[in-house]
Amino acid sequence: MEFPRINFDFANPQQCIDLLASVPLTNLDHAREALVGLIRGMLATPPEPLAHLEVLEQARPAVSFVVGEIAKRYSFQPLPPALQENDLLLQGVSLLQAMAHSYSEVASRGGELPHVQSRLAVICQRCIHYSGRVILEYFRARREIPPGLWIDLHGYYATAEEWGIAALQVVEPMNDLHSTESCQDAYCAILLVDLANPYGRSPREFVWVTRWARLFAQDTSIVRPSGTAEEQKCYGVDLMLDRGLRPMTMLSPTQSLYRFDGARLAPRLQQLILRLRQ
């Protein structure tokens, strides 16, 4: 498949949609190249913001399929530097990062437009989804998280908090456990995986960990610390630090500090353990 095509107009949403329909999913390498070319092309020559958003939404199933198939090639073995599997990891990650950047550009360019403002909760949730997925792929590959990736994720969530939309539920077709998901749900799911010793999991266990994290994320939340002594036994996250959850005793009180609230999670986990025993 030749890409980009001669005289292709990335600012024309119908051409972009037609290209998506022709992406050769049976040829993984060509499919990834086509998707990366399309997403980056729209960043360079963007369609009207709402049209840009709709093209990204239509690209999501293909992106999910391609990244998932790429992950199968590296998830069952460690990744020493300079091996082919490491290149595959970077290929999948670059596609996910391009999606997160594209959604944020839609908000940046069209945030003052009423028809884009009404979709800001969707846009923020997608940014968190894709930036969080980047971190998950490094967990899956048992590789150290590169500098800046936690900051990217925290930044998207901080924006949702600032705009007052962190708890708004939006339709999320990529979540096969819940029909809707908020920015906070998407964010907490990544934090739950971080808590679950992801590097110590087998590939099969990691799949279950990520699935359970999506299932139980709606029973958790991110709240401002109250300063009580009991709270020091909990975990927290500082949105200005390039790392995930840490015990509250390891974190200094700042305006960017949040406490991870999993109080509602314990009864759900007890029910799950009981069902597994049965």
Side-chain angles (χ1 to χ4, degrees), residues 25 33 59 117-118 141 150-151 170 178 181 202 209 211 240:
L25 294 180
E33 291 175 5
Q117 284 184 341
S118 65
W150 279 111
I151 288 292
V170 301
H178 301 290
E181 186 175 273
S202 69
V209 165
R211 182 176 177 82
M240 296 300 294

Side-chain angles (χ1 to χ4, degrees), residues 135 147-155 187 191 236-248 250-254 256-258:
I135 291 174
L149 294 189
W150 279 111
I151 288 292
D152 289 344
L153 177 62
H154 297 333
Y187 184 62
L191 298 180
V237 59
D238 191 321
L239 302 187
M240 296 300 294
L241 298 181
D242 195 15
R243 58 193 185 192
L245 289 172
R246 293 291 187 276
M248 291 289 287
M250 296 176 59
L251 298 170
S252 301
T254 65
S256 53
L257 179 63
Y258 285 79

Side-chain angles (χ1 to χ4, degrees), residues 148-201:
L149 294 189
W150 279 111
I151 288 292
D152 289 344
L153 177 62
H154 297 333
Y156 289 131
Y157 181 74
T159 298
E161 283 280 354
E162 180 183 349
W163 290 348
I165 57 176
L168 291 181
Q169 295 287 324
V170 301
V171 175
E172 174 50 288
M174 297 296 104
N175 189 328
D176 59 350
L177 299 170
H178 301 290
S179 59
T180 63
E181 186 175 273
S182 68
C183 294
Q184 186 167 247
D185 297 335
Y187 184 62
C188 286
I190 306 302
L191 298 180
L192 280 171
V193 175
D194 184 36
L195 275 179
N197 186 26
Y199 292 119
R201 304 297 176 183

